[in-house]
Amino acid sequence: MALDQSFVGRTYPPTPAYEVGREKIREFAEAVGDDNPAYVDAEAARVLGHADVIAPPTFVFSITYRAAGQVVQDPQLGLDYSRVVHGDQKFSYVRPVRAGDRLTVTSTIESIKSMAGNDVIDIRGDVHDETGELVVTALTKLVARAAEEA
């Protein structure tokens, strides 16, 4: 059953603030194999014009994906998460994420499409810092595979 098109444009409440820590940035950089010194050394980051260490570009995925959970778990939407695969991910940065940032994410359903019986849902996650400044926008595409015919 196709998802309800009336959900396009629905915005969910901002998430609680997530405080970005130096250690989390370091762990993430190590996990993805990125040895950029600006991710682990505050002095190296300052040389590049940053007040503190910065996070790799995909670092915010963990908090934007968690925020997208509000959409996925919305019982009114009726998305069968057991059939969902991650289709695509894009980030559009205003500035880098920095250690000490307190970030919130507001998720909005950008589009819902049906293709070959699959539901494709695009979710925009606007990430703001504690001052309300937009830091990055994440675009997440989820595909709910069609149920198999009996």
Side-chain angles (χ1 to χ4, degrees):
M1 180 190 238
L3 296 176
D4 185 346
Q5 290 289 318
S6 72
F7 278 76
V8 173
R10 182 174 285 195
T11 297
Y12 293 77
T15 61
Y18 173 88
E19 188 165 345
V20 178
R22 284 183 183 165
E23 185 63 14
K24 287 290 185 187
I25 292 173
R26 183 193 63 74
E27 289 171 350
F28 187 87
E30 284 181 4
V32 298
D34 194 331
D35 61 358
N36 183 331
Y39 302 154
V40 295
D41 181 355
E43 187 54 39
R46 280 191 272 285
V47 167
L48 296 172
H50 305 290
D52 204 335
V53 296
I54 59 172
T58 55
F59 178 85
V60 296
F61 176 77
S62 61
I63 62 172
T64 58
Y65 192 73
R66 188 177 315 136
Q70 294 176 306
V71 176
V72 169
Q73 296 170 5
D74 184 339
Q76 294 177 325
L77 179 60
L79 183 65
D80 180 359
Y81 191 70
S82 71
R83 307 199 69 73
V84 169
V85 294
H86 187 249
D88 193 19
Q89 186 71 51
K90 295 178 183 171
F91 300 100
S92 177
Y93 275 85
V94 174
R95 68 160 175 84
V97 170
R98 302 181 284 241
D101 277 342
R102 292 181 48 78
L103 304 175
T104 59
V105 183
T106 303
S107 295
T108 301
I109 298 175
E110 287 286 292
S111 69
I112 296 173
K113 298 176 187 135
S114 286
M115 298 169 58
N118 301 310
D119 287 317
V120 180
I121 184 167
D122 291 314
I123 304 167
R124 184 184 80 235
D126 294 316
V127 181
H128 293 88
D129 67 13
E130 63 275 8
T131 69
E133 175 189 359
L134 179 65
V135 175
V136 58
T137 297
L139 299 172
T140 303
K141 183 180 297 291
L142 301 177
V143 180
R145 296 170 290 119
E148 295 176 13
E149 299 286 328

